[in-house]
Amino acid sequence: MNITLPLPRRTVVAMLLTMILAQGAQAAPVADPLLQKIIAGARAVPPSSIRFERTTKAGGRDQSGPAESEVRVDRWDGRQLTRISSNGRPATAEEVEKVRKAATTVPGYHRVADYLAAGARRTSEAAGQIGYHLDRLPKGIVKMGGDRSDKIAGDVTIDTSGQQPFVSRVHFYAIKGFSIMFVARVDRFDQVLEYRLGSDGRPMLVRSVQTLAGSQFGKTGETRTESTYVALR
């Protein structure tokens, strides 16, 4: 899922924005035939085969009031993530290099395979839609001052209305509050990822919204980061 960079203001808000959904380790194939099909479909859309432009709006607040907001535009060309602009101005060479070094995980539909590779529990069935639940995320998915994947649960919605089933929505959330390295605490973590079929018939990530609330050294804060993705040819 996505890389969230800190806002310029170095407060608890900035600390919260350093959450990374890291690349998950491969797991043994799951038994559910539908999940097997979904995983195979996700792996058929590797990062090298996609190109997109991402616009991210990040903001938040702490005890002192609203933090400095930021609008960033990044572009993935199939090989490298590049910062294009920040708050309407062209990205500096330093910003471009910083993003290049930090971009260890590329967001996209391919990540669905990592989320589901260890299996999931079917929870609902309706016309054109099947729901699954992840009691905890597979090891290595969430890195926040260490691996916190076991602190995060998830709900996955699969669209079965067409010939090709695909994940249309993923909702991750903290099972309960947790501490990070004894100096910070996450009271709320919530992230929604939305997918749709692209013009080429392949699923693609189109939007993500992430909310974090917590504290560091006794100071509380919260952030909201929304990213939209547009496929490039």
Side-chain angles (χ1 to χ4, degrees):
M1 173 167 7
N2 311 312
I3 296 176
T4 304
L5 299 177
L7 295 174
R9 182 175 174 179
R10 300 290 181 175
T11 63
V12 61
V13 173
M15 177 279 293
L16 289 172
L17 282 171
T18 60
M19 191 281 293
I20 296 177
L21 287 180
Q23 182 68 32
Q26 298 292 330
V30 296
D32 188 314
L34 178 57
L35 288 188
Q36 288 180 327
K37 191 170 186 178
I38 292 294
I39 291 170
R43 288 176 176 163
V45 193
S48 60
S49 71
I50 62 175
R51 287 157 183 76
F52 61 78
E53 187 166 276
R54 176 179 67 189
T55 300
T56 299
K57 300 178 181 179
R61 61 183 301 110
D62 59 18
Q63 292 171 317
S64 302
E68 183 181 353
S69 61
E70 186 177 13
V71 178
R72 306 183 297 265
V73 177
D74 301 307
R75 186 173 297 155
W76 171 256
D77 64 2
R79 296 175 300 173
Q80 181 175 304
L81 187 68
T82 302
R83 173 64 46 84
I84 303 301
S85 66
S86 295
N87 290 330
R89 60 163 176 76
T92 65
E94 181 180 2
E95 289 171 331
V96 171
E97 182 64 13
K98 183 177 181 180
V99 170
R100 186 188 67 80
K101 290 182 177 180
T104 57
T105 303
V106 181
Y109 189 75
H110 58 283
R111 300 300 323 281
V112 167
D114 300 316
Y115 307 149
L116 295 176
R121 173 166 46 89
R122 188 176 295 202
T123 55
S124 64
E125 294 188 38
Q129 184 173 292
I130 296 179
Y132 283 85
H133 179 71
L134 297 161
D135 293 326
R136 286 176 173 76
L137 296 190
K139 184 177 179 181
I141 294 293
V142 177
K143 298 290 184 67
M144 300 174 68
D147 191 351
R148 309 294 171 181
S149 305
D150 64 340
K151 310 295 185 184
I152 309 297
D155 292 307
V156 177
T157 301
I158 297 177
D159 186 325
T160 58
S161 62
Q163 294 183 343
Q164 174 189 358
F166 70 97
V167 171
S168 59
R169 187 177 189 269
V170 174
H171 179 204
F172 293 130
Y173 52 91
I175 300 168
K176 60 181 181 180
F178 56 90
S179 298
I180 300 176
M181 301 175 68
F182 303 104
V183 298
R185 178 175 176 80
V186 173
D187 296 316
R188 181 190 177 203
F189 163 65
D190 188 277
Q191 185 172 42
V192 174
L193 305 171
E194 298 174 358
Y195 308 87
R196 66 169 172 78
L197 294 180
S199 58
D200 60 358
R202 300 189 305 171
M204 61 175 290
L205 175 64
V206 295
R207 181 173 180 261
S208 68
V209 179
Q210 174 185 295
T211 303
L212 283 170
S215 60
Q216 183 180 34
F217 301 120
K219 296 182 178 180
T220 60
E222 63 180 53
T223 68
R224 184 181 188 276
T225 306
E226 178 176 357
S227 297
T228 55
Y229 296 80
V230 176
L232 301 176
R233 294 186 181 276

